[in-house]
Amino acid sequence: MNELSFRGKDRYHPSWPHFAALGLGLAIEGAFAFFRLGVVGSCWLLGGTAALVGLGMSMALRSWTTVGAAGITIYWGLGRGRTYPWREIRWIDVRETKSQYGTALTARITLADGRRRSLPALQHSTRYPDPDFHVDVQRVINWWELNTDQAARFQPPKRLRYRLTPQAIGLILGLLITIIVVLGVAVEG
């Protein structure tokens, strides 16, 4: 099988609407910062914001995932890449994340020690659609199945944070806040 490579620079293409939204956001931030912080403070704030946005974009464009005979290599755009040998990988799945901007799908691996790692540039979302996402994930799974023993593969148990819905978390937080307020009133009274 041929080595697979998924690169961020092939996937993420900032468009003019992205730059227009960024420019509008910086202009609004600059206007509010100018009145609260003055010229020097607003320049520092805008410079820091631009540096963070630039670093984030650079990391996204430089990130990549390579799948080959040695295992899966992940590089997030900073530092050195990390290769996870096939013997350490216990499961490969797709994580679905829903937000107000749509649904995002990300391929990820589960390691022998239970840690999970997302695979950069092997993602599908409303903003950056990838029509071949499911085909590419299946190709990665085929590599994994070819290089591992079936006994070494197992699906990890669901973690609590993935079983809790936003509504359940809101209910729990609401109850905790209510209890704290009631106890605070009782202590004062």
Side-chain angles (χ1 to χ4, degrees):
M1 292 175 69
N2 292 334
E3 186 175 85
L4 305 175
S5 184
F6 308 99
R7 302 180 314 171
K9 67 180 180 180
D10 297 334
R11 291 263 315 119
Y12 309 117
H13 301 285
S15 62
W16 286 111
H18 291 121
F19 287 116
L22 176 64
L24 180 64
L26 286 173
I28 292 170
E29 178 185 38
F32 282 113
F34 179 76
F35 290 113
R36 297 294 252 166
L37 304 174
V39 174
V40 174
S42 62
C43 287
W44 275 103
L45 184 65
L46 288 173
T49 301
L52 287 175
V53 168
L55 179 65
M57 287 177 58
S58 172
M59 286 177 61
L61 293 173
R62 294 180 63 209
S63 65
W64 50 262
T65 299
T66 301
V67 180
I72 297 178
T73 303
I74 297 173
Y75 179 69
W76 282 103
L78 288 176
R80 296 183 328 182
R82 170 86 192 263
T83 299
Y84 297 97
W86 292 115
R87 68 180 180 279
E88 289 183 23
I89 300 171
R90 296 293 182 253
W91 196 253
I92 298 176
D93 64 351
V94 174
R95 179 176 184 196
E96 180 178 358
T97 307
K98 295 182 181 181
S99 71
Q100 65 185 8
Y101 303 110
T103 302
L105 303 173
T106 304
R108 66 181 182 176
I109 58 175
T110 302
L111 303 172
D113 61 5
R115 293 178 297 149
R116 293 182 169 118
R117 297 289 180 255
S118 297
L119 303 179
L122 192 51
Q123 302 170 348
H124 170 77
S125 65
T126 307
R127 182 172 286 174
Y128 297 107
D130 182 4
D132 298 328
F133 174 76
H134 293 289
V135 173
D136 290 337
V137 170
Q138 187 58 51
R139 291 170 54 202
V140 172
I141 291 172
N142 292 344
W143 263 95
W144 173 60
E145 289 175 346
L146 181 68
N147 290 289
T148 59
D149 184 30
Q150 187 166 355
R153 299 181 218 140
F154 62 88
Q155 186 171 7
K158 293 242 186 237
R159 293 184 177 169
L160 179 63
R161 67 179 173 184
Y162 299 123
R163 286 186 262 163
L164 288 177
T165 63
Q167 294 82 7
I169 293 171
L171 179 65
I172 292 168
L173 287 175
L175 288 172
L176 286 173
I177 291 170
T178 303
I179 290 170
I180 291 170
V181 169
V182 168
L183 288 176
V185 170
V187 168
E188 287 181 8

